């Protein structure tokens, strides 16, 4: 996964997605987790990269953890359904 987190667990967008994913594919990575707000950057990727990687977009750390540890459970995870996106003027909803 590439990204930064807020103190509340929201995944923030990052730069350099094209280079990071090309490097991941060359290194043999099969699945990558990206911030949801970086979806637009995936459109700019070469087809070889899009076809060679499973790209999963996440907006909260709980979503990312579920992809990393498929069968694990954590105290408080039942509240994930309550996680909502807080928008501010000028944001794109994330």
């Amino acid at each position: 996964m590439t990204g930064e987190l807020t103190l509340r667990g929201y995944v923030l967008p990052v730069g350099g997605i094209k280079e990071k994913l090309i490097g991941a594919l060359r290194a043999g990575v099969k699945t990558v987790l990206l911030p949801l707000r970086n979806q637009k950057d995936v459109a700019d990727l070469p087809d070889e990269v899009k076809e060679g990687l499973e790209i999963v977009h996440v907006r909260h750390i709980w979503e990312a953890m579920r992809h990393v540890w498929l069968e694990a459970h954590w105290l408080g995870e039942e509240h994930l359904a309550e996680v909502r996106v807080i928008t501010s003027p000028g944001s794109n909803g994330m």
Side-chain angles (χ1 to χ4, degrees):
M1 176 179 172
T2 184
E4 298 177 14
L5 300 172
T6 68
L7 293 176
R8 296 187 184 262
Y10 291 99
V11 181
L12 300 174
V14 295
I17 294 299
K18 181 178 178 182
E19 294 79 9
K20 289 174 183 168
L21 295 192
I22 289 171
L25 182 64
R26 288 181 181 164
V29 172
K30 302 293 183 205
T31 303
V32 294
L33 304 179
L34 293 177
L36 183 65
R37 289 173 57 185
N38 281 110
Q39 275 183 317
K40 63 188 178 300
D41 299 313
V42 173
D44 298 333
L45 293 173
D47 289 335
E48 172 186 336
V49 175
K50 288 189 257 186
E51 294 167 4
L53 293 172
E54 177 187 0
I55 301 171
V56 179
H57 295 279
V58 296
R59 69 177 177 184
H60 197 272
I61 187 62
W62 285 118
E63 294 172 70
M65 290 172 65
R66 286 184 175 159
H67 286 281
V68 175
W69 294 288
L70 300 176
E71 300 193 20
H73 298 283
W74 297 275
L75 182 63
E77 75 174 304
E78 66 276 2
H79 299 293
L80 177 59
E82 298 173 15
V83 172
R84 68 188 192 317
V85 176
I86 301 171
T87 60
S88 59
S91 74
N92 66 359
M94 296 296 131

